[in-house]
Amino acid sequence: MEEDDVTIREQNFHSQVREYIVCFLLFAVLYIVSYCVISRYKRKSDDQEDEDAIVNRISMYLCTFTLAVSGGAVLLLPFSIISNEILLSLPKNYYIQWLNGSLIHGLWNLVSLFSNLCLFVLMPFAYFFLESEGFAGSKKGIKARILETFVMLFLLGLLILGIVWVASALIDNDAASMESLYDLWEFYLPYLYSCISLMGGLLLLMCTPVGLSRMFTVMGQLLVKPTILEDLDEQIYCIQLQEEALERRLNGTTSNSYFHGNSQHLYKDLDSIRNQRNKLERRKKASAWEKNLLYPIVMLILLAGTTISVLLVALNIVYLLVDETALPKGSKERDIGNASLSTFGVAQAVIEIILMFYLMVSSVVGFYSLWIFQELTPRKDDTTMTTIIGCCVSILVLSSALPVMSRTLGITRFDLLGDFGRFNWLGNFYIVVSYNLLFAVVTTWCLVRKFTSAVREELLKALGLDKLNLSNSTTDAESGKHSANGHQKTL
């Protein structure tokens, strides 16, 4: 019996070591990718060997850690779904014994823990540390800035604790709930993270429909559109004439300091015209298959992905109205691979994973398309650390809410694991149904508005109402100009 106990303990020890190694390798890959992404956008002028450079470097490492955690949150559901299907297909394969329910639950718990750590500790610390200068009268240096940062963090924690405590007292005036707020680890942080997750879900609800309609414009700018009844040589010739005219005007104004402000405006116009010329030349050099085949295929894929998403949400609404057990819930079972959660097996699982990534990319595109968050848009080699911190926090909130949104909308039937399934609002029937209805209605409205913009413009012109600026879409302002690929918006 003692030998059996020793064998069991050894097996458990080796299993835990394998889980730690797998988690470390996955996180190392995410950290390297995140570091490369942030280095691509970080302002190079910040790289100086002084006190501010040290502060910027520490803030950058914290932002890299946060972005890696965001990537882990995005990969939680896809990795879990793939693992479940692999274990179903190869249940006794020796080489996948490391892939088990304990590893999956451990990943969910680690992502939840690190998300709380980044959102409530690391990112506020990075921001306050970046903005700190030390208290008045104290000796300047790194230690003084660290002391000021910890004091600000302590005051911020007290402020948030008081706000949540008062909100809980107003919403649920119960002695048990009031006493549970004093339990910081078991109730307060999960409750606060539940509120943040709800706000993240609402932010996804606002950004994803906008991003789904905006994706067509973004892909249209990246790809080469088909050339139909267009003379690219004539357009390039006209652009070259405009470029030469601006260059002559600049040569005449650079010698006169009185026109210095006007010359800056001319330089901006010259850069815009050169960009248009480069895009027209790219269209001219593109091959026939790229212009006539790739662009329609990509547009059809985007349309199919959006349509399938809306149909799955509509089907989920029907399930919710018929069966209350369709509500998203958490699972505490340690075993996976017992049954497939997809009706059509691996094919449906692959479609679900593609839709999740598509929704995440669309939510990020929609987030930066909203005028409220446009100032957070990163620019290559010209993004300040403050803006990077804001971007990392926003992406962390969006990615942490992605598994909850995917399960709430019925994109997948995989139950939420760990602390992700402990959110209080997931069991509220009215919140879940309203969320699904709003997503379906807003997404449909954005798509209809996107594809009927040209018709609306022509109707306004025919009625003589085009001067009233009744159409306020982002593309309407460029209706008289060439788009990213040289097209004009015509009916």
Side-chain angles (χ1 to χ4, degrees), residues 59 148 180 233 243 368 401 414 429 448 466 477 484:
S59 300
E148 181 184 353
S180 60
D233 293 330
E243 184 179 355
Y368 289 114
F414 196 93
F429 174 79
V448 171
D466 53 320

Side-chain angles (χ1 to χ4, degrees), residues 3-19 94 97-98 100 102:
E3 293 180 356
D4 294 338
D5 294 338
V6 171
T7 304
I8 293 174
R9 286 197 298 268
E10 289 179 351
Q11 291 177 353
N12 293 332
F13 174 76
H14 291 304
S15 177
Q16 291 180 356
V17 170
R18 283 197 302 268
E19 293 174 10
Y94 175 77
Q97 292 299 315
W98 57 271
N100 49 40
S102 178

Side-chain angles (χ1 to χ4, degrees), residues 41 56 91 94 101 174 219 224 337 350 366 405 428 435 443 475:
Y41 290 99
N56 284 328
Y94 175 77
D174 185 18
M219 296 307 298
V224 178
V350 172
M405 187 191 75
N428 192 311
Y435 194 91
T443 303
T475 56

Side-chain angles (χ1 to χ4, degrees), residues 202-488:
L202 295 177
L203 184 62
L204 278 175
L205 181 62
M206 181 172 57
C207 298
T208 306
V210 177
L212 289 173
S213 61
R214 180 69 178 167
M215 283 291 290
F216 294 91
T217 303
V218 173
M219 296 307 298
Q221 294 174 353
L222 297 177
L223 300 176
V224 178
K225 294 182 180 180
T227 303
I228 303 175
L229 300 178
E230 283 189 289
D231 190 352
L232 294 180
D233 293 330
E234 181 181 355
Q235 293 184 20
I236 294 174
Y237 179 71
C238 294
I239 290 292
Q240 289 176 346
L241 291 178
Q242 296 179 19
E243 184 179 355
E244 293 174 359
L246 283 176
E247 289 177 348
R248 288 194 296 268
R249 291 181 62 185
L250 283 171
N251 292 331
T253 57
T254 50
S255 59
N256 192 346
S257 60
Y258 179 76
F259 297 99
H260 178 68
N262 190 25
S263 63
Q264 292 181 351
H265 180 69
L266 292 177
Y267 275 118
K268 292 181 180 178
D269 292 341
L270 183 61
D271 292 337
S272 177
I273 288 177
R274 285 175 176 173
N275 290 332
Q276 291 183 17
R277 177 172 57 82
N278 293 332
K279 291 169 183 176
L280 287 173
E281 291 176 351
R282 176 173 175 265
R283 290 187 62 201
K284 184 179 178 180
K285 295 178 181 178
S287 59
W289 73 271
E290 185 179 358
K291 292 188 292 187
N292 301 323
L293 186 62
L294 182 62
Y295 180 82
I297 290 176
V298 171
M299 291 296 121
L300 288 176
I301 291 175
L302 293 179
L303 184 61
T306 307
T307 305
I308 292 174
S309 301
V310 175
L311 290 177
L312 287 176
V313 173
L315 189 62
N316 187 54
I317 294 174
V318 176
Y319 283 152
L320 290 172
L321 295 176
V322 174
D323 187 7
E324 291 186 357
T325 59
L327 286 171
K329 60 181 182 299
S331 175
K332 297 182 180 180
E333 297 181 1
R334 306 292 295 181
D335 295 331
I336 64 171
N338 296 327
S340 177
L341 300 174
S342 304
T343 306
F344 299 100
V346 179
Q348 184 176 346
V350 172
I351 293 175
E352 291 175 357
I353 293 171
I354 294 174
L355 288 178
M356 290 177 201
F357 286 121
Y358 179 49
L359 291 178
M360 184 61 199
V361 174
S362 300
S363 65
V364 174
V365 172
F367 177 81
Y368 289 114
S369 299
L370 296 175
W371 64 271
I372 305 177
F373 307 109
Q374 284 182 353
E375 294 183 357
L376 292 176
T377 304
R379 296 174 179 83
K380 183 181 177 181
D381 298 332
D382 191 28
T383 307
T384 61
M385 281 306 305
T386 306
T387 305
I388 290 177
I389 291 173
C391 292
C392 290
V393 172
S394 304
I395 293 176
L396 177 63
V397 173
L398 291 174
S399 59
S400 299
L402 179 66
V404 182
M405 187 191 75
S406 301
R407 181 62 184 90
T408 303
L409 295 178
I411 303 298
T412 180
R413 295 295 172 185
F414 196 93
D415 291 330
L416 301 172
L417 305 178
D419 290 335
F420 286 89
R422 294 174 58 186
F423 299 149
N424 299 328
W425 58 273
L426 287 176
N428 192 311
F429 174 79
Y430 298 101
I431 292 179
V432 174
V433 172
S434 301
Y435 194 91
N436 282 262
L437 285 173
L438 282 174
F439 182 87
V441 171
V442 175
T443 303
T444 305
W445 178 75
C446 288
L447 289 177
V448 171
R449 187 171 179 269
K450 172 70 178 177
F451 289 112
T452 59
S453 60
V455 178
R456 286 187 287 107
E457 287 179 11
E458 293 298 327
L459 289 177
L460 291 176
K461 290 179 181 179
L463 297 175
L465 301 176
D466 53 320
K467 297 181 180 180
L468 298 179
N469 295 327
L470 297 178
S471 181
N472 56 357
S473 62
T474 56
T475 56
D476 293 342
E478 302 176 355
S479 59
K481 302 179 182 179
H482 293 290
S483 67
N485 285 317
H487 276 293
Q488 291 182 345

Side-chain angles (χ1 to χ4, degrees), residues 77-90 99-100 104 335-342 346 349 414:
L77 268 180
F79 186 77
S80 302
I81 295 173
I82 290 176
S83 301
N84 186 63
E85 297 299 328
I86 290 176
L87 291 176
L88 281 174
S89 303
L90 305 170
L99 194 61
N100 49 40
I104 302 301
D335 295 331
I336 64 171
N338 296 327
S340 177
L341 300 174
S342 304
V346 179
F414 196 93

